[in-house]
DNA sequence: CGTTAACCGAGACGGTACGTCGCGTCTTACT
DNA sequence: AGTAAGACGCGACGTACCGTCTCGGTTAACG
């Protein structure tokens, strides 16, 4: 399920790895990430806070980045894809829910980590991004597709493009425009414009 | 004009700070930023490369972040606002030029640093962002406004919204979708959709 | 036994400190002390020469002084207390042997360090001095006592006083009169005078 | 008179050196020497305390050692050579007065500095020592000589030797035995023994 | 009696070393 | 074989001083 871990023990001889230790490390990582930020975060700090030896961390993850990415997995936002009466409403619910889940220190840290690691072009985060972003694009695309005829949308336009526009806009708001005053209005207007652009 | 520096000497007594040293530090920072990335970048490295004492760096900037932000100031992209025949073409030229300037290691580092510092909610980077992002929004808005009647755009929609959508989309492509195969197509289609959304 | 060390690990958990590292540090300290002198001696230098991390030094000693005192422990001179036919000869052998052991760069460094630290009135060096000086006084006193009747020495005089006079004289020669031309003569005459002073 | 200074200006054109600055530096040096010790003493500290630029210090002295030696000149002890009724009393007065002048932080610092610089075999302090120590030896020798017949001292013995024994003993007490409980007794007994050693 | 050369304070400069922190590895005894 | 503890070599941190070098400003003697 998760490929950031170091490879599992080849044999299952000897004492098995403690699941409690695993959880303690991940929990400590998230808490400290929120409290001190990724810059000041250190493995020694995590080990101490989790009441764990450094060895137990390095046995499971190769470095800080891998651990952080793994820890952030736990808080990845769920897309709320409940279909409403109109495309507008449906996308708004989805965007608003997504925004709500990310609009906090941890969520922003997550995006930030993503961007930093991506710009370092590590394979880990590419995989991470593909796993999380692509499905979102597809889900949104299928929502739009579902309302296509009902709302009289053009066949010509690339539906994935609209998804990217929406995702890009929401991401942009999160990264650069928070705290935002008229968030709801911004989201609604943006979605409206995109939908209108899809029409005819 | 730039507020990342430590406070200027209160008086003008004593030997004045060398402008040459200042430049050497900033230049070395940019070069090393490109070569080793921000993670591996160290003050000692910069000092050595610039042929400068560490003190001369710490005298001017409080930490690596402030220095990097300052160095990146020098390579902020210029918006190409030459008006073409149509809004579509004009925005495409603008977006394509912007993209071209940012689609390289240094440009991506710049965005990445921006995001990281913003997520740490430092005042430095908020100021930085406002100084660079807001003008862009205004410039794009005025372009759209210029073509409003000519292209039959609706009065109702918020023109700044369209700018944000465009900026968000381009930023999103830069951060998460590079290297991109069909960049031109993506940009063109995105702009087309946004313009279409503005119509009627 | 030696109290210059930082406190021993409270428990015996964790990896124990390496005895080899300990030795390497002390050896390097002595060698470099001889080569460059205590003024130019630096912790970084010692660490490098010993092939050891600076932390491993600071883990064991709080500062350069403590380390140097500890290193010098190893070369403390042995008193040659072989009894000769006369008090004069016995004391001469002793003084000459002591002088020979101290009359070199390391020996003088040792005395110098002792004086410097004593003038800073650190407890470390008081302890150090008491441990090394007092026994010497006692040994010399017992030698004098041994020859008391045989040589017709007065009962009235403080024998420890004669020891201190001798030690003081030898130390004085070492600190302020080296290199000395007529060392043997100086020692012999001094001892003769002291013995004569003890008589009647 | 004092050769630790850098050479005087070759010409006497231009603004002459300020005597007040000179005094301030020496005073500050002595005060700080007492307060923080020679180890922690720094040129920058002295400059700041004296309200003087570093340049003004380096213009007069080549390094910390030269400055300190120069500053300590001011407090060199005066020998009290008032002749008493007996040699015993005269030497006691002299030793007691000398001891009284040196038995304080500054005096001990002075001896310590002397020892340290001597062990580093700098020329400065050799000169310093010769200038101060030799005259003392000569003065004491002439005192002893003065009482020679009166007290029935042997001609055979080297009188300079007795001086060195006394100086050595007093120095030894100062360096290694302070604070001393029975100082007066120690001095008296020591002198008595030496005088007795000179007899017959 | 104005020129001018050396002085003065302040403080920037390239360095060296400081003592600390965290890295990722290793070595203990214990589970 | 896993675990907590913690030592290990290493590299960078940010600071303190070193001795040198500008700055603007000042003080006398010389010309």
């Amino acid at each position: 399920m998760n490929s950031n871990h170091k490879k599992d023990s080849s044999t299952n001889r000897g004492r098995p790895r403690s699941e409690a230790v695993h959880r303690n490390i991940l929990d400590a990582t998230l808490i400290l990430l929120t409290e001190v930020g990724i810059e000041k975060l250190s493995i020694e700090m995590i080990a101490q806070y989790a009441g764990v030896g450094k060895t137990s961390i390095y046995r499971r993850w190769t470095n800080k980045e891998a651990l952080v990415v793994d820890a952030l997995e736990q808080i990845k936002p769920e897309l709320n894809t409940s279909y409403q009466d109109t495309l507008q409403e449906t996308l708004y619910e989805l965007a608003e829910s997504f925004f709500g889940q990310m609009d906090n220190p941890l969520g922003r840290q997550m995006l930030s980590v993503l961007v930093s690691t991506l710009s370092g072009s590590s394979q880990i985060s590419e995989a991470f991004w593909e796993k999380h972003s692509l499905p979102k694009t597809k889900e949104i695309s299928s929502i739009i597709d579902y309302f296509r005829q009902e709302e009289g949308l053009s066949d010509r336009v690339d539906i994935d493009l609209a998804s990217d526009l929406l995702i890009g806009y929401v991401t942009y708001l999160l990264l650069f425009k928070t705290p935002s005053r008229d968030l709801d209005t911004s989201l609604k207007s943006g979605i409206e414009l995109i939908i209108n652009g899809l029409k005819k």
Side-chain angles (χ1 to χ4, degrees), chain A:
Chain A
M1 206 170 284
N2 189 321
S3 58
N4 294 325
H5 293 97
K6 283 188 170 179
K7 77 165 179 183
D8 298 32
S9 289
S10 36
T11 72
N12 44 357
R13 303 238 305 144
R15 177 175 171 180
R17 291 195 187 153
S18 160
E19 192 56 41
V21 165
H22 204 90
R23 288 233 56 76
N24 286 345
I25 295 170
L26 288 175
D27 292 352
T29 303
L30 276 187
I31 292 168
L32 292 173
L33 201 50
T34 314
E35 284 182 4
V36 305
I38 194 165
E39 214 68 36
K40 303 286 180 189
L41 188 70
S42 75
I43 297 282
E44 302 212 329
M45 199 176 180
I46 295 170
Q48 177 134 15
Y49 191 95
V52 142
K54 286 201 292 176
T55 316
S56 292
I57 297 180
Y58 284 110
R59 198 177 287 118
R60 290 156 218 262
W61 295 276
T62 54
N63 52 44
K64 190 167 75 174
E65 181 187 280
L67 169 54
V68 167
V69 168
D70 227 30
L72 288 173
E73 289 274 313
Q74 301 177 93
I75 59 148
K76 71 178 173 194
E78 294 297 321
L79 283 193
N80 172 10
T81 56
S82 62
Y83 284 72
Q84 311 294 318
D85 290 347
T86 62
L87 177 55
Q88 161 85 20
E89 285 173 52
T90 306
L91 289 182
Y92 174 71
E93 290 291 318
L94 184 147
E96 212 276 338
S97 152
F98 177 80
F99 206 103
Q101 291 174 75
M102 297 296 284
D103 186 22
N104 55 62
L106 217 44
R108 264 188 292 278
Q109 288 276 12
M110 186 181 171
L111 273 177
S112 178
V113 166
L114 214 52
V115 169
S116 299
T117 53
L118 272 171
S119 76
S121 72
S122 91
Q123 299 88 326
I124 288 176
S125 47
E126 279 181 33
F128 183 73
W129 179 249
E130 277 192 12
K131 194 167 81 196
H132 291 89
S133 177
L134 279 184
K136 273 181 214 144
T137 308
K138 290 305 168 198
E139 280 198 77
I140 296 177
S141 293
S142 70
I143 289 174
I144 298 176
D145 199 42
Y146 175 87
F147 283 100
R148 186 196 287 270
Q149 290 147 323
E150 194 171 331
E151 307 238 353
L153 306 183
S154 160
D155 306 342
R156 285 181 26 254
V157 293
D158 185 355
I159 281 191
D160 283 354
L161 171 66
S163 306
D164 279 352
L165 264 173
L166 180 55
I167 294 176
Y169 183 57
V170 171
T171 307
Y172 172 75
L173 290 179
L174 272 170
L175 285 176
F176 300 110
K177 292 276 194 158
T178 47
S180 172
R181 288 161 301 254
D182 304 311
L183 175 64
D184 284 3
T185 311
S186 295
L187 282 181
K188 247 174 214 157
S189 309
I191 292 168
E192 193 177 353
L193 196 152
I194 292 172
I195 294 176
N196 196 38
L198 286 171
K199 283 194 178 157
K200 196 182 57 163

